[in-house]
Short mmCIF file of all heavy atoms in Angstrom, two decimals:
data_model
loop_
_atom_site.label_atom_id
_atom_site.label_comp_id
_atom_site.label_asym_id
_atom_site.label_seq_id
_atom_site.Cartn_x
_atom_site.Cartn_y
_atom_site.Cartn_z
N SER A 74 -97.22 -89.52 13.61
CA SER A 74 -97.64 -88.46 12.63
C SER A 74 -96.47 -87.48 12.47
O SER A 74 -96.45 -86.83 11.35
CB SER A 74 -98.77 -87.65 13.27
OG SER A 74 -99.93 -88.45 13.55
N TRP A 75 -95.52 -87.41 13.35
CA TRP A 75 -94.47 -86.38 13.26
C TRP A 75 -93.11 -87.15 13.53
O TRP A 75 -93.07 -88.02 14.30
CB TRP A 75 -94.69 -85.30 14.23
CG TRP A 75 -96.01 -84.58 14.10
CD1 TRP A 75 -97.12 -84.79 14.76
CD2 TRP A 75 -96.28 -83.42 13.20
NE1 TRP A 75 -98.14 -84.09 14.27
CE2 TRP A 75 -97.64 -83.15 13.33
CE3 TRP A 75 -95.47 -82.76 12.34
CZ2 TRP A 75 -98.17 -82.05 12.68
CZ3 TRP A 75 -96.05 -81.69 11.59
CH2 TRP A 75 -97.47 -81.40 11.81
N VAL A 76 -92.00 -86.59 12.93
CA VAL A 76 -90.69 -86.95 13.32
C VAL A 76 -89.90 -85.65 13.59
O VAL A 76 -89.97 -84.65 12.93
CB VAL A 76 -89.93 -87.58 12.13
CG1 VAL A 76 -88.49 -87.99 12.55
CG2 VAL A 76 -90.73 -88.87 11.58
N VAL A 77 -89.32 -85.69 14.80
CA VAL A 77 -88.49 -84.65 15.31
C VAL A 77 -87.08 -85.00 14.92
O VAL A 77 -86.62 -86.07 15.49
CB VAL A 77 -88.65 -84.29 16.75
CG1 VAL A 77 -87.61 -83.21 17.15
CG2 VAL A 77 -90.10 -83.85 17.09
N HIS A 78 -86.39 -84.25 14.17
CA HIS A 78 -84.97 -84.63 13.74
C HIS A 78 -84.04 -83.69 14.56
O HIS A 78 -84.13 -82.54 14.49
CB HIS A 78 -84.66 -84.35 12.28
CG HIS A 78 -85.67 -84.95 11.39
ND1 HIS A 78 -85.48 -86.17 10.78
CD2 HIS A 78 -86.96 -84.59 10.97
CE1 HIS A 78 -86.55 -86.57 10.04
NE2 HIS A 78 -87.44 -85.59 10.17
N THR A 79 -83.21 -84.36 15.44
CA THR A 79 -82.22 -83.66 16.16
C THR A 79 -80.94 -84.17 15.95
O THR A 79 -80.77 -85.30 15.70
CB THR A 79 -82.67 -83.62 17.58
OG1 THR A 79 -81.89 -82.58 18.38
CG2 THR A 79 -82.58 -84.97 18.28
N VAL A 80 -79.92 -83.27 16.09
CA VAL A 80 -78.50 -83.72 15.80
C VAL A 80 -77.79 -83.69 17.08
O VAL A 80 -77.49 -82.65 17.74
CB VAL A 80 -77.89 -82.75 14.74
CG1 VAL A 80 -76.48 -83.23 14.47
CG2 VAL A 80 -78.63 -82.56 13.51
N GLY A 81 -77.45 -84.92 17.60
CA GLY A 81 -76.67 -85.04 18.79
C GLY A 81 -75.24 -84.75 18.49
O GLY A 81 -74.74 -84.67 17.40
N PRO A 82 -74.45 -84.52 19.61
CA PRO A 82 -73.08 -84.22 19.51
C PRO A 82 -72.25 -85.59 19.20
O PRO A 82 -72.58 -86.58 19.76
CB PRO A 82 -72.67 -83.69 20.84
CG PRO A 82 -73.51 -84.26 21.83
CD PRO A 82 -74.84 -84.39 21.08
N VAL A 83 -71.22 -85.46 18.41
CA VAL A 83 -70.25 -86.53 18.43
C VAL A 83 -69.39 -86.40 19.73
O VAL A 83 -69.01 -85.27 20.05
CB VAL A 83 -69.23 -86.49 17.29
CG1 VAL A 83 -68.16 -87.35 17.35
CG2 VAL A 83 -70.06 -86.42 15.86
N TYR A 84 -69.26 -87.55 20.38
CA TYR A 84 -68.46 -87.40 21.75
C TYR A 84 -67.00 -87.43 21.49
O TYR A 84 -66.41 -88.18 20.83
CB TYR A 84 -68.87 -88.70 22.68
CG TYR A 84 -68.32 -88.48 24.00
CD1 TYR A 84 -68.99 -87.73 24.80
CD2 TYR A 84 -67.18 -89.10 24.39
CE1 TYR A 84 -68.64 -87.51 26.09
CE2 TYR A 84 -66.64 -89.02 25.73
CZ TYR A 84 -67.41 -88.24 26.62
OH TYR A 84 -67.01 -88.11 27.99
N ARG A 85 -66.30 -86.30 22.11
CA ARG A 85 -64.97 -85.97 21.82
C ARG A 85 -64.20 -85.93 23.12
O ARG A 85 -63.16 -85.10 23.28
CB ARG A 85 -64.68 -84.75 20.90
CG ARG A 85 -65.31 -84.88 19.47
CD ARG A 85 -64.72 -83.75 18.66
NE ARG A 85 -65.06 -83.92 17.23
CZ ARG A 85 -66.14 -83.54 16.65
NH1 ARG A 85 -67.01 -82.88 17.32
NH2 ARG A 85 -66.34 -83.74 15.39
N GLY A 86 -64.69 -86.66 24.14
CA GLY A 86 -63.95 -86.65 25.47
C GLY A 86 -64.65 -85.94 26.52
O GLY A 86 -64.44 -86.05 27.71
N GLY A 87 -65.66 -85.16 26.22
CA GLY A 87 -66.53 -84.47 27.13
C GLY A 87 -66.25 -83.08 27.44
O GLY A 87 -67.02 -82.40 28.13
N ASN A 88 -65.20 -82.52 26.89
CA ASN A 88 -64.86 -81.04 27.24
C ASN A 88 -65.16 -80.21 26.00
O ASN A 88 -64.58 -79.08 25.96
CB ASN A 88 -63.37 -81.06 27.54
CG ASN A 88 -63.06 -81.72 28.93
OD1 ASN A 88 -63.88 -81.61 29.78
ND2 ASN A 88 -62.01 -82.47 28.88
N GLU A 89 -65.88 -80.63 25.11
CA GLU A 89 -66.20 -79.90 23.92
C GLU A 89 -67.69 -79.45 23.74
O GLU A 89 -68.20 -79.13 22.83
CB GLU A 89 -65.90 -80.69 22.71
CG GLU A 89 -64.49 -81.41 22.56
CD GLU A 89 -63.51 -80.49 21.98
OE1 GLU A 89 -63.80 -79.61 21.22
OE2 GLU A 89 -62.33 -80.69 22.29
N GLY A 90 -68.19 -79.28 25.10
CA GLY A 90 -69.67 -78.85 25.13
C GLY A 90 -70.67 -79.90 24.81
O GLY A 90 -71.80 -79.56 24.49
N GLU A 91 -70.15 -81.17 24.73
CA GLU A 91 -71.12 -82.19 24.36
C GLU A 91 -72.37 -82.27 25.28
O GLU A 91 -73.57 -82.63 24.77
CB GLU A 91 -70.46 -83.58 24.40
CG GLU A 91 -69.29 -83.73 23.36
CD GLU A 91 -67.93 -83.44 23.89
OE1 GLU A 91 -67.84 -82.47 24.89
OE2 GLU A 91 -66.95 -84.07 23.55
N ALA A 92 -72.17 -82.23 26.54
CA ALA A 92 -73.27 -82.41 27.52
C ALA A 92 -74.36 -81.27 27.27
O ALA A 92 -75.55 -81.51 27.21
CB ALA A 92 -72.85 -82.29 28.95
N THR A 93 -73.90 -80.09 27.03
CA THR A 93 -74.85 -78.93 26.80
C THR A 93 -75.65 -79.07 25.51
O THR A 93 -76.85 -78.92 25.28
CB THR A 93 -74.00 -77.56 26.66
OG1 THR A 93 -73.25 -77.40 27.91
CG2 THR A 93 -74.88 -76.39 26.47
N GLN A 94 -74.84 -79.65 24.47
CA GLN A 94 -75.44 -79.93 23.19
C GLN A 94 -76.53 -81.07 23.34
O GLN A 94 -77.60 -81.05 22.64
CB GLN A 94 -74.35 -80.25 22.17
CG GLN A 94 -73.58 -79.13 21.71
CD GLN A 94 -72.46 -79.42 20.75
OE1 GLN A 94 -71.76 -80.49 20.82
NE2 GLN A 94 -72.14 -78.58 19.91
N LEU A 95 -76.19 -82.11 24.02
CA LEU A 95 -77.12 -83.17 24.13
C LEU A 95 -78.30 -82.78 24.96
O LEU A 95 -79.41 -83.14 24.45
CB LEU A 95 -76.36 -84.42 24.87
CG LEU A 95 -77.24 -85.72 24.88
CD1 LEU A 95 -77.57 -86.25 23.57
CD2 LEU A 95 -76.47 -86.71 25.73
N ALA A 96 -78.08 -81.98 25.99
CA ALA A 96 -79.33 -81.52 26.74
C ALA A 96 -80.27 -80.71 25.84
O ALA A 96 -81.40 -80.77 25.93
CB ALA A 96 -78.95 -80.67 27.80
N SER A 97 -79.61 -79.86 24.92
CA SER A 97 -80.28 -79.05 24.07
C SER A 97 -81.17 -79.91 22.98
O SER A 97 -82.23 -79.46 22.79
CB SER A 97 -79.32 -78.13 23.23
OG SER A 97 -80.01 -77.34 22.28
N CYS A 98 -80.62 -80.95 22.57
CA CYS A 98 -81.37 -81.89 21.67
C CYS A 98 -82.78 -82.35 22.34
O CYS A 98 -83.76 -82.16 21.69
CB CYS A 98 -80.54 -83.15 21.45
SG CYS A 98 -79.27 -82.90 20.35
N TYR A 99 -82.60 -82.78 23.56
CA TYR A 99 -83.90 -83.24 24.29
C TYR A 99 -84.78 -82.05 24.46
O TYR A 99 -86.03 -82.06 24.22
CB TYR A 99 -83.46 -83.91 25.62
CG TYR A 99 -83.00 -85.30 25.36
CD1 TYR A 99 -81.64 -85.48 25.25
CD2 TYR A 99 -83.89 -86.26 25.27
CE1 TYR A 99 -81.22 -86.84 24.94
CE2 TYR A 99 -83.43 -87.62 24.99
CZ TYR A 99 -82.08 -87.94 24.84
OH TYR A 99 -81.61 -89.21 24.62
N ARG A 100 -84.26 -80.85 24.92
CA ARG A 100 -85.13 -79.68 25.24
C ARG A 100 -85.77 -79.12 24.04
O ARG A 100 -86.93 -78.80 23.90
CB ARG A 100 -84.22 -78.58 25.92
CG ARG A 100 -84.99 -77.70 26.88
CD ARG A 100 -84.09 -76.68 27.56
NE ARG A 100 -83.10 -77.33 28.40
CZ ARG A 100 -81.73 -77.37 28.23
NH1 ARG A 100 -81.15 -76.82 27.11
NH2 ARG A 100 -81.01 -77.93 29.22
N GLU A 101 -85.02 -79.09 22.95
CA GLU A 101 -85.61 -78.48 21.66
C GLU A 101 -86.67 -79.34 21.08
O GLU A 101 -87.55 -78.91 20.54
CB GLU A 101 -84.44 -78.17 20.68
CG GLU A 101 -83.54 -77.06 21.04
CD GLU A 101 -83.31 -76.16 19.81
OE1 GLU A 101 -83.69 -76.44 18.73
OE2 GLU A 101 -82.57 -75.14 20.04
N SER A 102 -86.38 -80.69 21.18
CA SER A 102 -87.33 -81.70 20.71
C SER A 102 -88.66 -81.61 21.48
O SER A 102 -89.75 -81.50 20.99
CB SER A 102 -86.77 -83.07 20.74
OG SER A 102 -85.65 -83.24 20.03
N LEU A 103 -88.53 -81.43 22.83
CA LEU A 103 -89.70 -81.32 23.70
C LEU A 103 -90.36 -79.98 23.33
O LEU A 103 -91.61 -79.98 23.41
CB LEU A 103 -89.30 -81.43 25.08
CG LEU A 103 -88.81 -82.76 25.60
CD1 LEU A 103 -88.04 -82.68 26.86
CD2 LEU A 103 -89.95 -83.68 25.82
N ALA A 104 -89.67 -78.92 23.12
CA ALA A 104 -90.34 -77.64 22.90
C ALA A 104 -91.15 -77.70 21.62
O ALA A 104 -92.31 -77.13 21.38
CB ALA A 104 -89.28 -76.56 22.86
N LEU A 105 -90.64 -78.45 20.53
CA LEU A 105 -91.30 -78.57 19.19
C LEU A 105 -92.68 -79.18 19.55
O LEU A 105 -93.74 -78.75 18.95
CB LEU A 105 -90.45 -79.27 18.24
CG LEU A 105 -89.39 -78.40 17.65
CD1 LEU A 105 -88.51 -79.34 16.64
CD2 LEU A 105 -89.89 -77.30 16.78
N VAL A 106 -92.65 -80.34 20.24
CA VAL A 106 -93.87 -81.08 20.34
C VAL A 106 -94.89 -80.29 21.33
O VAL A 106 -96.10 -80.37 21.15
CB VAL A 106 -93.66 -82.56 20.75
CG1 VAL A 106 -92.87 -83.21 19.68
CG2 VAL A 106 -93.10 -82.68 22.08
N ALA A 107 -94.38 -79.71 22.26
CA ALA A 107 -95.11 -78.89 23.28
C ALA A 107 -95.78 -77.73 22.50
O ALA A 107 -97.02 -77.37 22.64
CB ALA A 107 -94.38 -78.26 24.38
#
Side-chain angles (χ1 to χ4, degrees):
S74 302
W75 302 93
V76 180
V77 176
H78 306 263
T79 190
V80 182
V83 176
Y84 191 76
R85 295 195 170 87
N88 294 317
E89 309 271 337
E91 295 97 325
T93 304
Q94 289 173 325
L95 185 61
S97 174
C98 287
Y99 283 92
R100 207 176 296 112
E101 289 224 356
S102 297
L103 289 162
L105 283 173
V106 301

